[in-house]
Each structure stands twice: as structure tokens, then as C-alpha cells.
Amino acid sequence: MNLEIHRSETGKNVFLDLIGDLDMGGAPILRQSVVQEVSKGNFFIVLDFSGINFLDSAGLGAIIGGLRRARSHEGDLVLIGLDDELQKIFKLCELDQIFKMNLSREILSE
């Protein structure tokens, strides 16, 4: 399954709801979406993983690249909607030390 991204905005945050597989095929789609948001001046990006079925190293690379891009503009990239399996991946790679994770969408929408 390809990656679909549904976009919404609340306040200063842009929410990108990810649906499908964040793999070699989906990573460029995410990368392009983050580049577009940052080029528009949207530096606070929230990735919602509720709809993600699969994540591989290419997907992780796209997420890390997005974080670097957002933080280089004094922004941030936050991850929400991670299930237990995805949380394990981030913990194994020690990425849970780098990313803000598992905040609620409601808190971020304020």
C-alpha cells in the first residue's frame, strides 16, 4: 500500500496524518510533504502515525530528515499515534530520546 498524507492545520501546528506504508516507496512522499510545509513557513509539524501499517529504515530516514529540516528553522516535528510496535522501533533506535512522542492531538491543537 502506498503512503497517503492528509493535511490539516490548527494554530501554528500542521498535522500530517499518515496512512499506509512508510517504506522506500512512501519515504519520498513524506520527505516532499515536509519540504513543502517548511517552504511555506510551517515549522511546527505533527506526524500522526495512527494509520501506518509498516515502517522501515527508509521511513525512519525521512522522519529524521524532517526533524532536522523543521529544527533548522527553529521549529519541531512531533510524533503522535504510535502503536506499541512503532514505539519499540523508536526505542530500539534510541529515537525516543530525540523526538517528542505520544502527546495527544488535543494538547497540540491548543
Side-chain angles (χ1 to χ4, degrees):
M1 176 179 201
N2 289 334
L3 182 70
E4 289 181 34
I5 299 178
H6 297 202
R7 181 192 184 280
S8 60
E9 265 184 81
T10 304
K12 67 178 182 176
N13 292 317
V14 171
F15 290 85
L16 299 178
D17 298 337
L18 310 177
I19 302 165
D21 297 336
L22 187 48
D23 55 8
M24 272 183 21
I29 298 167
L30 176 59
R31 191 173 296 114
Q32 180 182 11
S33 293
V34 172
V35 167
Q36 286 176 352
E37 293 302 333
V38 171
S39 69
K40 292 179 192 174
N42 299 318
F43 307 128
F44 294 92
I45 301 169
V46 180
L47 300 182
D48 188 340
F49 283 80
S50 300
I52 288 294
N53 303 318
F54 178 78
L55 174 69
D56 70 5
S57 60
L60 287 173
I63 297 164
I64 293 166
L67 177 69
R68 286 185 181 144
R69 187 172 298 273
R71 286 189 178 168
S72 72
H73 291 88
E74 306 302 320
D76 206 356
L77 187 129
V78 177
L79 313 179
I80 64 172
L82 297 160
D83 65 18
D84 291 341
E85 288 300 313
L86 290 174
Q87 286 183 43
K88 281 183 196 175
I89 292 169
F90 280 87
K91 287 179 182 174
L92 283 171
C93 298
E94 296 186 355
L95 293 174
D96 60 328
Q97 306 296 314
I98 298 168
F99 286 96
K100 292 178 186 165
M101 297 170 35
N102 291 330
L103 300 171
S104 74
R105 189 177 192 109
E106 292 74 31
I107 290 173
L108 294 168
S109 295
E110 294 176 353

